[in-house]
Amino acid sequence: MSVRVLLPRLLSDCTGGRTTVDVDLADPATVRALLDALATEHPVFDRRVRDETGELRRHVNVYVDGEEVRRLDGLATPVPPGAEVMVVQSVAGG
């Protein structure tokens, strides 16, 4: 199955300048499996999104079809076929 991942420009430097990445996954898939698949091709992206324990960094939010995964099952959240996954990196400053 194919899943479309939307990335902010802040992370596009980790994916060869792309803000959209299509990922092929085995069905059923989870957010963790999706991030694992992205990590094999884009290891720098993975280090910016997940910490050394494999969990999402505090300043990174992931949405599956508009629903934030932290409010669902976290990295175990299912990713249905044809889903749109958005990775958003928070920006702080003043």
Side-chain angles (χ1 to χ4, degrees), residues 21-44:
V21 179
D22 291 320
V23 180
D24 290 321
L25 297 171
D27 190 21
T30 63
V31 172
R32 184 179 308 280
L34 172 65
L35 293 177
D36 289 346
L38 280 168
T40 60
E41 192 172 333
H42 306 288
V44 175

Side-chain angles (χ1 to χ4, degrees), residues 1 5 8-9 11-12 15-17 31-32 37 41 47-48 51 56 64 66 70 76 78 80 86 90 93-94:
M1 78 169 191
V5 181
R9 291 229 180 263
L11 291 173
S12 68
T15 56
V31 172
R32 184 179 308 280
E41 192 172 333
R47 289 192 298 272
R48 298 254 312 260
D51 63 21
L56 287 176
V64 175
R70 283 193 176 96
M86 196 166 48
S90 301

Side-chain angles (χ1 to χ4, degrees), residues 1-4 25-29 65 78-84:
M1 78 169 191
S2 183
V3 175
R4 175 156 286 180
L25 297 171
D27 190 21
D65 289 334
V79 178
E84 190 172 81

Side-chain angles (χ1 to χ4, degrees), residues 25-92:
L25 297 171
D27 190 21
T30 63
V31 172
R32 184 179 308 280
L34 172 65
L35 293 177
D36 289 346
L38 280 168
T40 60
E41 192 172 333
H42 306 288
V44 175
F45 168 82
D46 189 54
R47 289 192 298 272
R48 298 254 312 260
V49 171
R50 294 192 285 185
D51 63 21
E52 49 284 330
T53 67
E55 296 300 314
L56 287 176
R57 294 191 181 276
R58 278 185 318 153
H59 63 276
V60 174
N61 295 316
V62 176
Y63 299 85
V64 175
D65 289 334
E67 296 289 328
E68 185 182 11
V69 300
R70 283 193 176 96
R71 296 174 190 251
L72 301 171
D73 292 325
L75 293 178
T77 299
V79 178
E84 190 172 81
V85 177
M86 196 166 48
V87 178
V88 179
Q89 190 175 24
S90 301
V91 179

